[in-house]
Amino acid sequence: MVPLMQKNLILLLFLVVALGIVSGCERVGDLPDAKKTETQAKTEAPEEAPAPPDGCSSEFRALFDQAVVELSGEGEGDVVIITDPLCWHCRLAHKLMGEYSGLYGRLRLSFFPRKSFMGSDMAAWILEDAAATDRIRTMVDYAYSDLKQPKTSDLMEARMLVLLQFTQAFPDLLEGTTMEELYVRFQSGHEAHVLESAMLARAAQLPGTPILVAGEHVILGFGPGPWIKALEEKSVCK
């Protein structure tokens, strides 16, 4: 009996020692290597948030310089809005800018026609054709308040329906010409320029419309509070 008990005690001691050795190896093996920890920290560290867009950068200045439709405010400073005449939020933005015209000097519209507002490129062509005329504000106001979204999925038909609305509101557009000839004139004269405006907006990585650029401030999307605040700060690019 005694030898058996001694044998069991010896086996128990061996098991305790063995467990101690294994447990110690696991702990040592789990200790992080200094170089590995540094590498993991760099790899696993959260990415830094992208810097906010700078309205004074060349990409945004190009949008202002390229735009031809300009409205005058009673204040100071250059402002550009990336816009689509049939975009609902762009219309709210246009209304706001009319109410706060004392907060800016020159306001330019850089057109970025969206596929979801079919026919809005025709509206942009028409407005660019009227740029620098004495009725540009009247036509812009019409485009951003009374112009209706054509109910069609055909691009050519949508453009023609937008043109039809403009000719009904401004009959003199048809003096000495026809609807078809007017369509061709607007397209040949302004399509390339509006496409260039859209390309500049994409180059500035702009997601859509409307977007306000006032000095260094770039406000993505419409919100009365942020827009008024950006205008009130009167940031100027040097």
Side-chain angles (χ1 to χ4, degrees):
M1 180 66 68
V2 174
L4 181 59
M5 290 180 63
Q6 288 179 340
K7 184 177 181 181
N8 288 338
L9 286 172
I10 293 170
L11 287 172
L12 183 60
L13 286 172
F14 274 119
L15 284 172
V16 171
V17 173
L19 285 172
I21 292 173
V22 172
S23 178
C25 288
E26 287 177 348
R27 285 197 297 269
V28 171
D30 288 342
L31 290 175
D33 177 74
K35 292 183 179 179
K36 182 179 178 181
T37 303
E38 184 179 352
T39 303
Q40 285 179 335
K42 291 180 180 179
T43 304
E44 298 171 2
E47 294 183 3
E48 292 184 3
D54 179 6
C56 294
S57 66
S58 58
E59 293 87 352
F60 288 100
R61 192 64 199 180
L63 286 164
F64 181 88
D65 292 340
Q66 195 259 0
V68 296
V69 174
E70 181 173 303
L71 305 175
S72 298
E74 292 83 44
E76 298 178 354
D78 293 341
V79 174
V80 61
I81 298 178
I82 293 80
T83 183
D84 181 312
L86 290 174
C87 157
W88 174 246
H89 287 98
C90 295
R91 294 183 165 201
L92 293 176
H94 177 71
K95 184 175 183 294
L96 181 80
M97 297 302 285
E99 294 172 350
Y100 288 86
S101 58
L103 297 181
Y104 58 87
R106 294 189 297 172
L107 165 61
R108 290 188 181 179
L109 304 181
S110 179
F111 295 111
F112 191 12
R114 317 305 291 150
K115 290 182 179 179
S116 53
F117 302 114
M118 193 169 291
S120 64
D121 54 353
M122 171 59 80
W125 302 345
I126 296 171
L127 295 179
E128 289 205 348
D129 193 75
T133 69
D134 57 3
R135 64 177 183 178
I136 182 59
R137 182 176 289 276
T138 303
M139 295 187 75
V140 169
D141 287 342
Y142 170 79
Y144 282 85
S145 58
D146 300 316
L147 187 65
K148 302 295 189 296
Q149 170 71 62
K151 296 181 179 180
T152 178
S153 58
D154 183 83
L155 178 58
M156 295 282 287
E157 184 181 5
R159 288 171 174 171
M160 187 61 79
L161 289 172
V162 167
L163 178 58
L164 176 62
Q165 292 181 70
F166 267 97
T167 57
Q168 290 174 342
F170 304 93
D172 59 307
L173 288 174
L174 277 173
E175 288 183 3
T177 188
T178 65
M179 287 284 290
E180 291 73 17
E181 291 173 344
L182 198 57
Y183 183 110
V184 171
R185 182 170 75 80
F186 285 145
Q187 183 174 31
S188 61
H190 304 285
E191 182 179 31
H193 188 265
V194 171
L195 286 173
E196 183 184 355
S197 299
M199 288 175 61
L200 289 173
R202 293 190 182 94
Q205 299 182 347
L206 300 181
T209 57
I211 292 170
L212 171 70
V213 183
E216 64 182 4
H217 301 295
V218 179
I219 311 298
L220 306 178
F222 175 73
W227 279 50
I228 294 171
K229 181 180 178 182
L231 293 170
E232 288 178 337
E233 290 188 8
K234 300 184 183 300
S235 172
V236 178
C237 296
K238 298 177 180 180

